[in-house]
């Protein structure tokens, strides 16, 4: 997370439920059936998702 400029540490509280089981996307099937291959890494996509609200707020005209 340091690449995203996030500081602090994650502390896992083992006394709480950890959620329900999740499924993982099989990207090989997406490539086989649709020809889709991701061009953005997970870290880059996460960084863009985090930065998007900041950029869009800066582009919005002021309401005053």
């Amino acid at each position: 997370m340091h690449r995203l400029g996030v500081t602090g540490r994650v502390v896992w509280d083992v006394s709480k439920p950890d959620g329900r089981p999740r499924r993982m996307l099989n990207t090989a099937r997406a490539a086989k059936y649709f020809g889709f291959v991701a061009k953005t890494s997970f870290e880059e996509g996460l960084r863009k998702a985090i930065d998007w609200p900041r950029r869009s707020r800066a582009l919005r005209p002021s309401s005053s």
Side-chain angles (χ1 to χ4, degrees):
M1 297 300 282
H2 66 278
R3 293 181 186 172
L4 301 172
V6 177
T7 58
R9 64 186 191 117
V10 175
V11 178
W12 189 261
D13 185 351
V14 295
S15 70
K16 306 285 190 239
D18 63 357
R20 61 181 201 155
R22 293 191 171 83
R23 297 178 185 198
M24 292 184 62
L25 177 66
N26 184 344
T27 57
R29 290 180 67 191
K32 178 180 176 181
Y33 293 109
F34 308 118
F36 173 81
V37 178
K39 296 177 184 164
T40 304
S41 70
F42 174 77
E43 283 189 350
E44 178 68 11
L46 183 58
R47 185 189 60 74
K48 287 180 177 184
I50 291 169
D51 289 344
W52 179 82
R54 294 177 189 152
R55 286 192 317 270
S56 63
R57 189 175 19 235
L59 297 174
R60 227 179 285 149
S62 64
S63 58
S64 52

